[in-house]
Amino acid sequence: MIYLVKTPLVVKKLYPQCVWNLPAGGKTLYLTFDDGPHPEVTRFVLAELKKYNAHATFFCIGNNVQQHFETYKEMISQGHRPGNHTFDHLNGWRVKDGQYLKNIEKAAKIIDSDLFRPPYGRITRFQIKALGGNRFNFRIIMWSVLSGDFDEKLSEEGCYLNVVNNAEPGNVIVFHDSVKAFPRLNYALPRVLQHFSKKGFEFKVIPS
């Protein structure tokens, strides 16, 4: 599996309409979790975040929200923020634009958010323009650092080091609250929270 842990500047410049990181403004990091909610994994994440008074943004799949609405409500009640991640985890490069936008609109009926993250980070320029327009008015959130927790060949320690060796103030960090990612998430997330908390960092939700 090939992926870039830290997003290079050239990629950010190719898609300037998307948010890759936020102004540093002190010791702040933005943890994000994709593909949930999941009743066990998401609740594990919530419990770990609570230990450090940390807040995060959860990019939710509409179908998962529909199936696990109580977990979704629990996440919001604890001060975290939802984002739209399509209804069926669609790859924007592999489906027609109309199908993609309708799927996002379907998710928007149950996910109240103006934040959107494309699954796999794959989105076309047309889709970016459409989602940022008056019909949707989404803020498209990408990332600065990938934990790699989705990579089943990556060690638990490797996942942890991907974050602590690369994250800087203002960075948007990606984890996944999914069954597939859990073996690495279970190890890395508590240690990431502890590491940066000791250094005086705060963890905040992505603003509108």
Side-chain angles (χ1 to χ4, degrees):
M1 186 177 291
I2 300 173
Y3 54 91
L4 298 172
V5 172
K6 194 169 181 69
T7 306
L9 184 60
V10 65
V11 174
K12 297 176 183 179
K13 287 186 174 181
L14 283 173
Y15 298 93
Q17 311 95 320
C18 301
V19 176
W20 297 91
N21 51 269
L22 292 145
K27 291 185 172 182
T28 302
L29 292 171
Y30 299 89
L31 295 179
T32 65
F33 297 86
D34 289 4
D35 298 353
H38 183 277
E40 286 81 33
V41 182
T42 303
R43 286 192 170 112
F44 162 79
V45 172
L46 295 177
E48 292 302 315
L49 294 173
K50 192 173 184 178
K51 292 176 185 177
Y52 295 90
N53 193 30
H55 292 92
T57 306
F58 289 75
F59 288 93
C60 301
I61 296 172
N63 192 36
N64 286 345
V65 172
Q66 196 169 71
Q67 292 181 58
H68 310 297
F69 197 67
E70 288 304 314
T71 306
Y72 175 75
K73 288 196 299 181
E74 188 177 337
M75 176 261 291
I76 293 172
S77 72
Q78 293 186 25
H80 307 292
R81 186 162 189 203
N84 190 318
H85 200 46
T86 76
F87 194 86
D88 295 300
H89 204 256
L90 296 187
N91 183 332
W93 293 358
R94 293 185 176 179
V95 297
K96 292 182 178 179
D97 293 330
Q99 179 187 353
Y100 190 67
L101 297 177
K102 284 181 181 178
N103 200 265
I104 293 164
E105 195 166 32
K106 184 178 180 181
K109 292 178 181 178
I110 53 175
I111 300 170
D112 184 16
S113 178
D114 63 353
L115 303 180
F116 174 77
R117 172 175 284 160
Y120 315 102
R122 292 175 181 172
I123 189 169
T124 67
R125 294 184 187 279
F126 174 84
Q127 292 162 359
I128 289 172
K129 186 176 180 179
L131 291 171
N134 291 334
R135 177 181 168 189
F136 292 98
N137 200 28
F138 275 119
R139 192 176 191 201
I140 301 173
I141 310 298
M142 300 301 257
W143 57 80
S144 319
V145 176
L146 277 176
S147 69
D149 58 353
F150 55 85
D151 181 358
E152 293 175 300
K153 293 184 178 179
L154 180 67
S155 69
E156 297 169 341
E157 182 73 7
C159 180
Y160 165 70
L161 292 175
N162 278 347
V163 179
V164 299
N165 288 343
N166 291 286
E168 300 172 349
N171 278 185
V172 178
I173 300 164
V174 180
F175 284 103
H176 293 77
D177 50 336
S178 67
V179 171
K180 178 183 177 181
F182 188 65
R184 288 154 296 282
L185 176 71
N186 182 52
Y187 177 91
L189 180 61
R191 289 165 176 79
V192 165
L193 288 164
Q194 182 182 55
H195 173 86
F196 285 108
S197 293
K198 283 183 176 180
K199 290 181 174 291
F201 278 80
E202 292 182 286
F203 301 92
K204 296 182 180 180
V205 299
I206 295 173
S208 295

